[in-house]
Amino acid sequence: MSSIVFITGATSGFGRASARRFAAAGWSLVLTGRRLERLQALQDELSAQVPVHIAALDVRDEQAVRQVVAQLPEGFRPIKALINNAGLALAPQAAHQVDLADWHTMIDTNIKGLVNVTHALLPTLIETGAGASIVNLGSVAGQWPYPGSHVYGASKAFVQQFSYNLRCDLIDKGVRVTDIAPGMAETEFTLVRTKGDQAASDRLYRDTTPLSGEDIAEQIFYVATLPAHININRLEVMPTRQAWSNFAVDRDKA
């Protein structure tokens, strides 16, 4: 029987690339996301390689999460890896200019959604035991602040600390926990953040070499398939052409 991976936010970006990477290695897939038509297309693409189960899911909905987990078909129940990828950034403006609803959406998705799925699948992962993995998608924004990051960065700091603390609780269960923190990566991230501004997305990635969804999927696969006695606590991944900048200083105007 093949190993089974449960991926949230599988309809684009890191989630979709991870589905393809795990399928290439023969893993069975449980793919979830809000856009059913994209899940169906991915299922059509990958089901010739491996068994694929899909479920439309908004991770913010606790009851829906529990229902999806409870209704997993028998052949998809013994989950070996959970990829908590569902998340988003909104409102790149300064904090005093944003809509409070956007902050709530990021908190509900990046924090509450993460804990909803993790809590629902912990019993299964603990039952799987040695070699089971939880891979949480954080961000360099959780460690390195920048203008316009406000709640997004704070939510990814939660991902980091939640991952560390979860490791402490699972130390005797054999379940690994990793916070993978990507830097600049060319996915739908900026389109979502700017609510469809393609020009803004193009500007961000123009004339440089960002990471790709496939780059991060490779790192996710790596940490989830290490020998059972190895845990990567946190993996921060940046493009070679991205680094930290100087501190900002506000100066009197001449």
Side-chain angles (χ1 to χ4, degrees):
M1 180 176 175
S2 65
S3 298
I4 303 166
V5 59
F6 188 112
I7 304 175
T8 68
T11 56
S12 64
F14 305 146
R16 183 167 58 191
S18 294
R20 290 168 174 157
R21 180 64 183 90
F22 279 85
W27 286 56
S28 298
L29 308 175
V30 178
L31 306 179
T32 70
R34 290 183 297 115
R35 292 171 286 190
L36 180 59
E37 70 284 355
R38 289 199 179 189
L39 291 174
Q40 291 169 333
L42 199 53
Q43 183 180 44
D44 291 344
E45 174 190 339
L46 299 176
S47 58
Q49 296 176 250
V50 295
V52 181
H53 174 71
I54 62 172
L57 178 65
D58 186 336
V59 296
R60 296 175 295 180
D61 186 337
E62 176 192 351
Q63 293 308 313
V65 169
R66 295 198 176 281
Q67 185 174 26
V68 164
V69 172
Q71 294 179 352
L72 286 173
E74 190 62 36
F76 292 92
R77 287 185 177 277
I79 304 297
K80 187 172 184 180
L82 165 60
I83 314 302
N84 274 317
N85 171 70
L88 78 169
L90 296 171
Q93 303 85 6
H96 56 282
Q97 298 173 325
V98 306
D99 188 333
L100 180 60
D102 286 339
W103 279 5
H104 286 172
T105 297
M106 287 187 280
I107 292 167
D108 289 345
T109 307
N110 300 353
I111 297 178
K112 293 173 69 174
L114 170 70
V115 300
N116 286 344
V117 177
T118 302
H119 192 268
L121 280 171
L122 271 176
T124 298
L125 291 159
I126 291 171
E127 185 176 350
T128 298
S133 300
I134 299 171
V135 181
N136 296 326
L137 267 295
S139 169
V140 295
Q143 185 84 10
W144 309 107
Y146 62 88
S149 184
H150 37 75
V151 165
Y152 174 70
S155 72
K156 293 304 183 178
F158 174 90
V159 174
Q160 177 180 333
Q161 200 61 33
F162 178 64
S163 300
Y164 289 170
N165 286 295
L166 201 55
R167 277 271 290 124
C168 295
D169 290 342
L170 297 174
I171 190 170
D172 62 342
K173 305 301 182 186
V175 181
R176 288 96 61 96
V177 185
T178 301
D179 168 31
I180 290 190
M184 179 186 288
E186 188 169 7
T187 63
E188 294 181 2
F189 175 87
T190 303
L191 276 179
V192 172
R193 190 172 205 183
T194 60
K195 299 185 177 178
D197 188 341
Q198 184 65 55
S201 180
D202 292 343
R203 282 194 302 273
L204 180 63
Y205 306 118
R206 183 179 298 138
D207 300 326
T208 191
T209 310
L211 300 172
S212 67
E214 290 71 24
D215 293 330
I216 298 303
E218 193 63 40
Q219 306 312 309
I220 293 170
F221 182 78
Y222 167 71
V223 301
T225 55
L226 284 167
H229 69 287
I230 301 174
N231 191 104
I232 304 296
N233 297 324
R234 185 172 188 270
L235 183 59
E236 185 175 286
V237 188
M238 277 184 170
T240 305
R241 299 180 71 183
Q242 181 185 23
W244 310 276
S245 189
N246 297 327
F247 285 109
V249 177
D250 180 39
R251 301 187 187 279
D252 293 335
K253 304 299 185 289

